[in-house]
Amino acid sequence: MKGDRISAGRMLAFAGRNVKEILRDPLSPVFCAGLPLAMLLVLTLVDRSIPPEAGMTLFRIDRLSGGIAVFGETFLMLFLALSVSGDRASSFLIRLYATPMTAFDFTAGYLLPVLGLSLVQGIGVGAVSLITAAVSGSGVKLSAAGITLLPVALLPSALFFAGLGLLFGTLFSEKAAPGLCSLVISLGSFLGGIWFDADGVGGVLLKICRCLPFYYCVKTARAAVALDFSAEEMGTPLLIVCVSAALITVIACACFRARMRAE
């Protein structure tokens, strides 16, 4: 038990250090909080300019809030990949390998901050969404219960993106990892259906979206805001996101452990 407490202390101390490293970058608050909230407000204005007869609801605040929350999580993947690859490049990790820290301490210390920051992001997006819905005059009402559920529903997708960040940071250099993360951010935003109605478009594009976890991350977030617990909207998408998150995290942790032993 004493050893477990010591190990937990090492892991939490390492996690705290990683939070500081992420937030130390001046661009982190901009991309983690500022950009998603700014886009939420701008796209709400866009929605107000769309004629009602167009029947377009993609940018309506009750659908937009979930998509924007997932969009914000993709940047956590980028910052985690930068943190891991940067630690490897500076030999910081190699020095830590000489300490009693285990592979679990390292991987948990990298993943936990992202999950915590995801909760903060979800709360921020939810709060701004409630305020926007109240003052926009759109007539759309958001459920306080749905907005409260949103940060919790985002955790599986946060773990998925964190796992990708850990994987890219472990396998690639600090120059290559950001490029791969940027590609995932672009693909995830588009194929997740954040910027267009994938279900409305249908066809081959919808089939491609359904083959990737991004679509289900967004679908789960929107279902949480709407308090729609049906199997089609919440159950199946949440299950797919959880399985994807678990698979990516296991692969990332295994790669990190192998890299740790090799170095």
Side-chain angles (χ1 to χ4, degrees):
M1 292 296 293
K2 183 178 179 181
D4 292 340
R5 288 196 296 269
I6 294 175
S7 179
R10 291 193 298 261
M11 181 263 291
L12 291 175
F14 187 59
R17 173 263 177 190
N18 291 328
V19 171
K20 293 177 183 178
E21 285 296 313
I22 292 176
L23 297 180
R24 187 174 297 168
D25 187 338
L27 291 179
S28 296
V30 174
F31 284 99
C32 288
L35 181 60
L37 295 181
M39 296 193 70
L40 180 68
L41 297 175
V42 169
L43 292 176
T44 299
L45 294 176
V46 171
D47 180 67
R48 293 295 307 277
S49 66
I50 299 175
E53 54 269 21
M56 183 176 179
T57 61
L58 180 63
F59 296 148
R60 202 173 63 189
I61 190 63
D62 56 335
R63 290 179 53 79
L64 184 63
S65 55
I68 290 295
V70 174
F71 175 67
E73 288 184 330
T74 61
F75 291 101
L76 296 178
M77 168 192 62
L78 171 62
F79 292 124
L80 181 57
L82 283 170
S83 180
V84 177
S85 60
D87 287 344
R88 289 177 46 238
S90 65
S91 299
F92 173 74
L93 281 180
I94 295 179
R95 292 194 298 271
L96 285 183
Y97 291 160
T99 69
M101 288 183 66
T102 65
F104 174 80
D105 294 332
F106 283 111
T107 53
Y110 278 123
L111 295 174
L112 283 178
V114 174
L115 298 182
L117 291 173
S118 170
L119 285 173
V120 174
Q121 273 189 335
I123 293 171
V125 170
V128 173
S129 297
L130 279 175
I131 296 172
T132 302
V135 303
S136 65
S138 62
V140 177
K141 294 184 179 180
L142 290 180
S143 165
I147 291 299
T148 302
L149 179 61
L150 177 62
V152 179
L154 288 170
L155 285 177
S157 57
L159 182 60
F160 169 72
F161 287 113
L164 285 177
L166 178 61
L167 181 63
F168 292 154
T170 300
L171 296 180
F172 302 100
S173 69
E174 59 181 341
K175 293 183 178 180
L180 289 171
C181 289
S182 298
L183 178 62
V184 173
I185 291 172
S186 300
L187 288 176
S189 300
F190 182 72
L191 296 179
I194 297 176
W195 312 130
F196 78 103
D197 185 1
D199 294 307
V201 171
V204 176
L205 188 56
L206 178 59
K207 292 180 180 179
I208 295 175
C209 292
R210 285 179 171 173
C211 291
L212 299 171
F214 312 113
Y215 171 81
Y216 300 100
C217 291
V218 176
K219 203 170 183 67
T220 299
R222 286 174 174 161
V225 173
L227 292 177
D228 186 345
F229 300 109
S230 65
E232 181 180 359
E233 297 298 323
M234 172 69 87
T236 301
L238 180 59
L239 177 61
I240 293 174
V241 174
C242 288
V243 171
S244 301
L247 181 61
I248 288 295
T249 302
V250 168
I251 294 174
C253 291
C255 290
F256 185 91
R257 183 187 296 271
R259 173 77 71 171
M260 181 178 175
R261 291 176 176 174
E263 296 178 348

